[in-house]
Amino acid sequence: RQSLAEATAREREAILLYEFSKVIAGLNSERAIAQALAERTREAFLADLVGVFVEAHDGGIPLYIYIPDSAAHPSQKPDLLIPLETARGILGEVRFWREDPRVSNSEERLLRTFASQAVLALERARLSQAETRAKILEESDRLKSSLLSSVSHELRSPLATIKAGVTSLHSEEIPWESDARQELLTTLEEETDLLDRLVGN
């Protein structure tokens, strides 16, 4: 009878863990993962209240999720406090309230397994966000480089014309008649106006 009870308990643990892993595997946001952790923990362990706290990341805001919402921010201390811990530090914690029955060792072990699965999902979500930000920055840099290349080309064309015209006017070897001189000065003025518009744009 005892062996049967232990086997049944292990089977229940395996099913709960499988279902939880399946739920969080498809989630990509920290809020959704924390919400799923709170909901599944409350359902699986028939808790009075479950709170999940996740520290702020990359300038974001910390997450505080309580299930059920109506009992948010209780005054009494939790019956069990489980850290969401990684090799690099603490990401947050799970707060668990249940007056009766007391949390057994096997339940606490399973809760800690839930927490470790949630930590893996949170780290995956953060890595995914970091990858997305890196791709955006890379694309932004590419666009900036393309824009600067285009702008520098557009600016060089009128500058080359202006430089050639001024050099020609300074040359004493070329006799400038009034018509040719006026035409060159008009070209220089047009190119200067063009350059001014380009810089303004």
Side-chain angles (χ1 to χ4, degrees):
R1 213 178 283 133
Q2 185 180 349
S3 295
L4 179 61
E6 287 172 0
T8 305
R10 281 197 300 273
E11 182 185 6
R12 179 178 178 274
E13 286 180 13
I15 289 169
L16 288 172
L17 189 55
Y18 168 73
E19 288 175 349
F20 178 64
S21 299
K22 197 167 75 170
V23 166
I24 63 170
L27 302 177
N28 292 319
S29 78
E30 291 183 28
R31 175 168 289 282
I33 293 164
Q35 183 84 24
L37 175 59
E39 288 172 355
R40 289 291 170 151
T41 300
R42 183 164 187 260
E43 287 172 19
F45 301 98
L46 304 174
D48 300 325
L49 175 66
V50 174
V52 175
F53 164 69
V54 180
E55 290 182 353
H57 175 67
D58 276 354
I61 56 169
L63 291 173
Y64 295 92
I65 293 174
Y66 286 92
I67 303 291
D69 291 335
S70 58
H73 305 288
S75 55
Q76 73 269 26
K77 288 174 67 175
D79 297 303
L80 191 61
L81 195 65
I82 298 172
L84 296 172
E85 192 169 5
T86 69
R88 291 183 297 280
I90 305 287
L91 289 182
E93 61 188 19
V94 179
R95 300 161 185 169
F96 185 88
W97 287 264
R98 190 176 75 188
E99 286 185 24
D100 191 46
R102 300 283 299 167
V103 179
S104 68
N105 289 338
S106 61
E107 284 181 318
E108 183 175 345
R109 188 179 66 247
L110 185 57
L111 271 166
R112 290 186 183 280
T113 307
F114 269 40
S116 66
Q117 291 292 315
V119 164
L120 292 173
L122 287 168
E123 285 195 309
R124 186 191 70 237
R126 288 183 176 187
L127 285 172
S128 176
Q129 290 167 4
E131 183 185 10
T132 302
R133 279 194 298 274
K135 282 181 179 174
I136 290 169
L137 287 172
E138 186 180 328
E139 180 65 14
S140 176
D141 283 346
R142 192 186 66 74
L143 287 170
K144 283 178 191 172
S145 297
S146 176
L147 177 64
L148 287 172
S149 174
S150 176
V151 166
S152 65
H153 174 74
E154 290 294 323
L155 293 176
R156 278 196 183 103
S157 296
L159 278 174
T161 305
I162 292 168
K163 178 69 174 172
V166 169
T167 303
S168 297
L169 285 172
H170 277 298
S171 173
E172 294 177 5
E173 297 172 7
I174 303 173
W176 288 104
E177 298 163 7
S178 60
D179 288 348
R181 184 182 182 87
Q182 189 58 42
E183 188 178 331
L184 185 56
L185 288 171
T186 302
T187 302
L188 288 174
E189 189 175 9
E190 287 171 357
E191 293 298 320
T192 306
D193 290 342
L194 172 61
L195 190 59
D196 185 55
R197 282 197 304 277
L198 284 171
V199 172
N201 288 340

